[in-house]
């Protein structure tokens, strides 16, 4: 399979390294971060898994330059970087690539579909990854990817799920993309902002009673919004958040990593999105509102 990954951050590096280790696949990382592109081109990606380490060598290219032909194009950039990938993604799709977004938050898939005037598949990744340096990534475990796609992209989604599963990232195609997306949003809204604000790994939210209570309250608020939209999470929202925190206990959330680097965060697309949807529906989400505003006030909010 020919895979084009837009992004050179933690998740793109980890998935790219895993996929490129299987020589049946041709993998290219497309981005604009010069240090990452140069490091991967020269030395490959050094991936550290809990039980082993390996180096694999995907190809690289600038996303604003010539792109290789691909069967699938995966969008793995941060929510606030989404607009930057539209033009190169359009070029990839025009050359036959099936587009999938693995981004966090609400609305980004719809925005990309509108910009491309065509369907965009959804990938919801529960994969803990820490970018220690350009071209060096550490995994918290295999994680899981849920894929959803409209009929036209379904064969590509099934091929992509097989490729991911066979290279170390369990993946499956799910029928309801909204439920898939909202389950991830509930967990992210409950976990990421709290870990970022308190500088703790995910598991600390389970062991510190005051943080656990806030996590569960944020999850329940997000779950109530999902329910009002007719989305069946098929699980208790608080337990969804607890399960993710347990499964990724040692992981430092992407929002915490962003705050530590002084970079913009995805809080607008997570807690902010919950608040906006709640307001539209006439619901109150005070915990998510506080978390959203607190991250913005920290000096590294979503606005680049």
């Amino acid at each position: 399979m020919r895979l084009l990954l837009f992004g050179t951050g933690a998740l793109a590096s980890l998935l790219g390294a895993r996929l490129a280790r299987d020589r049946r696949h041709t993998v290219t990382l497309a981005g604009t971060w010069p240090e990452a592109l140069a490091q991967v081109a020269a030395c490959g990606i050094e991936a550290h898994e809990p039980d082993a380490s390996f180096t694999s060598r995907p190809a690289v290219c600038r996303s604003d330059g010539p792109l290789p032909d691909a069967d699938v194009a995966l969008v793995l950039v941060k929510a606030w970087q989404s607009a930057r990938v539209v033009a190169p993604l359009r070029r990839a799709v025009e050359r036959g690539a099936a587009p999938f977004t693995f981004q966090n938050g609400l609305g980004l898939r719809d925005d990309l579909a509108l910009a491309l005037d065509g369907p965009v598949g959804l990938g919801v990744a529960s994969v803990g990854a820490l970018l220690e340096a350009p071209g060096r990534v550490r995994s918290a475990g295999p994680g899981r990817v849920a894929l959803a796609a409209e009929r036209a992209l379904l064969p590509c989604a099934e091929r992509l799920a097989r490729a991911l599963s066979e290279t170390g990232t369990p993946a499956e195609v799910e029928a309801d993309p909204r439920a898939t997306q909202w389950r991830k949003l509930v967990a992210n809204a409950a976990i990421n902002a709290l870990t970022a604000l308190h500088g703790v790994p995910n598991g600390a939210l389970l062991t510190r009673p005051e943080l656990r209570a806030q996590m569960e309250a944020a999850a329940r608020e997000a779950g109530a919004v999902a329910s009002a939209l007719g989305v069946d999470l098929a699980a208790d929202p608080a337990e969804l958040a607890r399960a993710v925190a347990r499964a990724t206990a040692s992981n430092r959330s992407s929002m915490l990593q962003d705050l530590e680097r002084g970079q913009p965060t995805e809080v607008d697309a997570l807690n902010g999105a919950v608040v906006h949807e709640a307001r539209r529906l006439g619901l109150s989400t005070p915990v998510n509102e506080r978390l959203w505003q607190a991250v913005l006030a920290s000096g590294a909010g979503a606005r680049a």
Side-chain angles (χ1 to χ4, degrees):
M1 195 174 194
R2 299 171 302 173
L3 300 113
L4 177 61
L5 279 59
F6 286 102
T8 52
L11 185 57
S13 296
L14 181 59
L15 295 184
R18 288 175 175 175
L19 287 161
R21 190 165 51 160
D22 187 330
R23 295 186 180 275
R24 292 176 298 174
H25 305 304
T26 300
V27 181
T28 302
L29 268 62
T32 57
W33 184 14
E35 293 83 359
L37 295 175
Q39 178 65 24
V40 176
C43 303
I45 298 175
E46 181 184 325
H48 298 277
E49 303 275 14
D51 57 352
S53 297
F54 64 93
T55 299
S56 64
R57 294 182 175 273
V60 297
C61 68
R62 285 192 61 88
S63 56
D64 53 3
L67 299 173
D69 290 334
D71 301 307
V72 173
L74 307 183
V75 178
L76 294 156
V77 300
K78 296 286 189 177
W80 57 272
Q81 298 171 312
S82 192
R84 303 178 189 178
V85 83
V86 168
L89 180 62
R90 182 184 294 114
R91 288 191 285 121
V93 170
E94 288 172 349
R95 297 177 62 176
F100 285 78
T101 176
F102 280 49
Q103 296 168 286
N104 289 327
L106 292 180
L108 299 175
R109 180 193 185 206
D110 293 338
D111 291 345
L112 288 175
L114 182 63
L116 298 176
D117 192 24
V120 175
L122 176 68
V124 179
S126 300
V127 180
L130 171 65
L131 192 70
E132 297 182 328
R136 186 171 75 240
V137 65
R138 187 169 299 277
S139 162
R144 178 181 178 272
V145 169
L147 296 167
E150 297 177 10
R151 184 181 298 274
L153 296 181
L154 195 55
C156 287
E158 292 169 344
R159 288 183 64 198
L160 178 58
R162 286 196 298 271
L164 289 167
S165 297
E166 291 168 358
T167 54
T169 309
E172 60 184 349
V173 179
E174 297 189 353
D176 185 352
R178 288 208 308 164
T180 300
Q181 190 171 36
W182 269 94
R183 283 195 294 271
K184 178 71 177 293
L185 179 60
V186 165
N188 277 346
I191 292 171
N192 289 19
L194 274 171
T195 59
L197 291 168
H198 293 273
V200 296
N202 295 357
L205 303 184
L206 298 171
T207 60
R208 293 172 55 172
E210 74 283 5
L211 295 184
R212 179 173 178 140
Q214 291 180 68
M215 175 185 71
E216 292 174 347
R220 291 190 183 100
E221 287 182 356
V225 175
S227 180
L229 290 169
V231 177
D232 182 7
L233 298 176
D236 172 67
E239 178 51 34
L240 271 176
R242 289 192 296 267
V244 171
R246 280 194 298 269
T248 61
S250 64
N251 189 52
R252 297 171 68 79
S253 73
S254 59
M255 195 176 295
L256 171 56
Q257 295 177 50
D258 288 338
L259 279 189
E260 290 177 335
R261 296 183 184 121
Q263 295 180 338
T265 74
E266 296 182 306
V267 72
D268 279 346
L270 300 178
N271 304 84
V274 171
V275 172
H276 285 308
E277 283 295 303
R279 289 174 179 170
R280 188 175 65 83
L281 295 165
L283 300 176
S284 176
T285 52
V287 177
N288 279 279
E289 177 107 36
R290 284 198 302 272
L291 293 173
W292 177 33
Q293 295 302 327
V295 173
L296 292 177
S298 71
R303 299 169 182 87

